[in-house]
Amino acid sequence: MEMILNENDLIVGALFENGTIQDYVDENKTYGLVRIEDSTVNWFLFNKDESEADLQKLYKKILKEEHFIQDDFGEEIVVFNRTGNKPFEDFIKKIDEYLGDELGEFI
């Protein structure tokens, strides 16, 4: 996975063999986008006790729509707005890899 950096050398996404991941694609910097081949999902990290009000509101809205949530010990990876044929689990796997690689960049 090749990290994408902004003008301040902060990680804002990544390129991988058959797609991309971006941290933020909306104007409020609330959620990101993952593309694998011709399929996409939006995503964000959520913590019930620590997430800000805009994420709390988005989370409640998404629970009423098609979505997938993977709970990683209190921090949830939330994916929604899927297009294409890839299953949610494929997107979660790429997000997990990205978060692991991103953390490795700081160490």
Side-chain angles (χ1 to χ4, degrees):
M1 199 170 276
E2 179 183 337
M3 296 298 155
I4 299 170
L5 305 176
N6 69 9
E7 62 277 358
N8 298 318
D9 290 334
L10 297 174
I11 297 170
V12 294
L15 301 170
F16 49 89
E17 181 181 332
N18 56 349
T20 60
I21 186 167
Q22 295 171 265
D23 287 344
Y24 301 112
V25 295
D26 68 316
E27 133 182 346
N28 295 329
K29 297 188 184 255
T30 310
Y31 58 85
L33 177 76
V34 182
R35 181 186 56 79
I36 301 174
E37 296 168 355
D38 62 349
S39 300
T40 63
V41 295
N42 292 115
W43 74 283
F44 63 92
L45 298 176
F46 180 79
N47 182 299
K48 184 178 84 173
D49 298 324
E50 297 177 10
S51 291
E52 300 206 12
D54 56 345
L55 271 182
Q56 298 280 351
K57 183 178 178 181
L58 179 59
Y59 185 82
K60 287 179 185 177
K61 177 183 177 239
I62 286 168
L63 290 179
K64 299 173 187 173
E65 303 169 1
E66 182 186 24
H67 67 280
F68 185 86
I69 298 172
Q70 176 175 299
D71 189 339
D72 287 342
F73 308 104
E75 183 162 63
E76 298 175 346
I77 299 172
V78 181
V79 291
F80 62 105
N81 285 347
R82 180 178 56 176
T83 64
N85 297 321
K86 291 283 182 198
F88 282 121
E89 292 82 4
D90 288 0
F91 292 103
I92 292 289
K93 181 180 175 187
K94 284 297 176 190
I95 295 167
D96 272 339
E97 287 175 21
Y98 171 65
L99 295 173
D101 284 354
E102 186 178 22
L103 182 60
E105 291 283 324
F106 292 119
I107 296 174

